[in-house]
Amino acid sequence: MRIIVCIKQTPDTEAQIRISDIGKSMLLLQDVKTILNPYDEFAIEEALRIKEKMGGEVIVATFGPDSAKEQLLRGLAMGADRGILVASTSFPQTSSLLTATVLAQLVTQEQGDLVLCGKQGIDEDNMEVGVMLAELLGWPHVNAVTQLTLTDTSAHVEREVEGGQTEVYRVQLPSVFGAHKSLNTPRYASLPGIMKAKKKPLDTKTVSDMGLEEAQLKNLVQVRVDHYEYPPKKPAGKLFKGASTESMVTEVLELLRTEAKVI
Amino acid sequence: MKILVFLEQRDNLLKKSSLEALGVAHRIVQGHGSVEALILGEQAQALCEQAQGFGATTCHYVQAPSLRHYQPLLYKEILVQAIKQLQPDSVLGMTTPLSRDLLTRCAAALKAPLLTDLVDITAQEGRLMGGKKPLYAGKVLATLTYETQGVKIATLRPNSFAAEKIPGTMTIQALPLELPSTAMEKIELTEVRKGKSQKADLTEAARIISGGRALASADNFAILHRCAEVLGATVGASRAAVDAGYATHDMQVGQTGKTVNPTLYIACGISGAIQHLAGMRTSKIIVAINKDPEAPIFSIADYGIVADLFEAVPLLTEKLQGILKE
Ligand SMILES: Cc1cc2nc3c(=O)[nH]c(=O)nc-3n(C[C@H](O)[C@H](O)[C@H](O)COP(=O)(O)OP(=O)(O)OC[C@H]3O[C@@H](n4cnc5c(N)ncnc54)[C@H](O)[C@@H]3O)c2cc1C
């Protein structure tokens, strides 16, 4: 089975995100420390486990900046067989549909049998690319997967929805699955793994190398950013300390009732 | 101008949050057009009644036993057909596991622009123009504008907009369409397993009480559950509490857990790491109980209590019992 894991470079969760002073429609992301999108680790781990059980090949792929090679290397160090970077450099703005279109072409060209991805990128939190990719390929999808059991032609899939409920799906392969964090516990990349990763094939392509028209892809950006802003600063709250717990609790409850009016 | 609102049902119950989308649609059209709704389900026709009085002029339904549960490709094909038939200017749904999945797939099928998880919308002359969306775990907000002609799609974050009672009459209509016959071959939802709690989900809860590492055991979470019982709240947790096995992972609030938006969030023994704040910073009122006066959680709390939670939470429960009985 050839499994393609679609991954993304995202800012570190601790990173400060700053808005440009010159144009409020720009973010200053150049110097922000980046990581492999946390949910993608679960997708890579799941792909490696499937390969260990059923054989095949694991490809990590991304549509991203040149620096995303670092995240592909991380996937290779965990155990993926090869990596593909499709350069997004010539696209000042992208969209989920654009990314999904590029990835769909990649999956088709690489003749993937299964696609795994993280359930969402923690940057824009869209939860869109995997779902759109499935639609473009004409495949079924399940997002936020917490359990996955495969046979050669089908899958038993569980996903978590609201209220702690679990939806159980029977899915025909090929399909796209978006990994949730309880799917597995990702392995650490071992030192030999990291050494080996550097020798594994890592291709860089442009969209035109893949037979896609750059201008047409740009039409898939259908939303414009007008501006960014920081969330409104909360006025400083009231802090109670030093008094007896009982009196502090009583006072806060009174304020919740009369000032905040939420109980 | 017409706005189509996808109303979601689970277990033959209309989701309350769906009514918020009707209120938003009404606000967008402002008399320049009509708000229409669509329900898919086993008993969709009867559910339409519950949408009466929230701003829709027509409620369309597609009713079939196979529509009892969310069937991803079946629902998608029906919604795509409905959009082609009804030709709305925009389609709205809520940011829920079902609607966001469905509307995303429809957007790709129609190559329509999509904005998900909006906390505010912009409108002009009865049209949805765009909206505001938190990015990077709420560290910034982006104001986004659609740039295409044709149908626009959006999902709205629950509890960001109020459902409004809007007087008026509503017509209930079966949507005439052929049920796609092969859509369930590739994927079929075969079972829905109930969770333990019948409480509102964290993402839709109006009140949440969360516990962190300080709870120190799964058993100790009982004091939060007791308080939640009295308050009508849902219990959440920090990642540290989840990783330690004190709480289940569906209870995790934060950047790699759930994004919540309640009117009242009570954080007990949670330090307030940036990844936790990411999931709850938009809560209307935040109460923090922590032993450490320097805990970062106090920086976003409206009311902070520096105290031992094992003392404070039972007192809170006891006093709430008194207050809420009045
Ligand atoms: C990629 C990534 C993603 C993450 N995602 C999330 C996420 O989604 N959600 C999340 O929550 N975290 C997330 N984290 C983890 C986050 O960084 C913190 O480690 C975590 O939130 C800490 O949980 P805590 O506040 O319960 O524990 P701690 O930070 O250990 O805080 C415990 C607090 O309890 C207080 N305390 C102790 N005893 C008592 C007592 N008896 N009474 C009152 N107060 C007491 C202490 O003063 C302290 O402030 C993520 C981290 C990373 C790297």
Side-chain angles (χ1 to χ4, degrees), chain B residues 212-213 238-239 252-256 269 271 275-276 290 308-309:
Chain B
R213 194 196 307 271
S238 74
R239 169 144 157 199
Q252 184 182 320
V253 173
Q255 188 157 16
T256 51
S271 60
Q275 297 94 348
H276 188 80
N290 198 305
D308 187 332
L309 75 93

Side-chain angles (χ1 to χ4, degrees), chain B residues 17 57-58 88 109 118 186 209 225 293:
Chain B
S17 66
T57 49
T58 309
L118 298 180
K186 286 185 180 173
I209 179 162
H225 285 289

Side-chain angles (χ1 to χ4, degrees), chain B residues 1 27 41 55 63 78 81 90 96 102 110-111 183 224 278 324:
Chain B
M1 227 50 61
R27 204 174 105 195
Q63 181 161 314
I78 293 174
Q81 277 192 52
S90 55
T96 60
L102 173 65
L110 296 163
K111 305 273 187 287
L224 300 189
L324 296 172

Side-chain angles (χ1 to χ4, degrees), chain B residues 76-116:
Chain B
K76 180 215 63 174
E77 289 191 20
I78 293 174
L79 184 55
V80 166
Q81 277 192 52
I83 292 170
K84 287 182 175 160
Q85 234 183 75
L86 298 170
Q87 303 253 318
D89 182 61
S90 55
V91 181
L92 295 183
M94 298 307 293
T95 309
T96 60
L98 189 163
S99 295
R100 117 182 268 178
D101 202 71
L102 173 65
L103 267 55
T104 299
R105 190 131 187 167
C106 284
L110 296 163
K111 305 273 187 287
L114 171 69
L115 293 175
T116 41

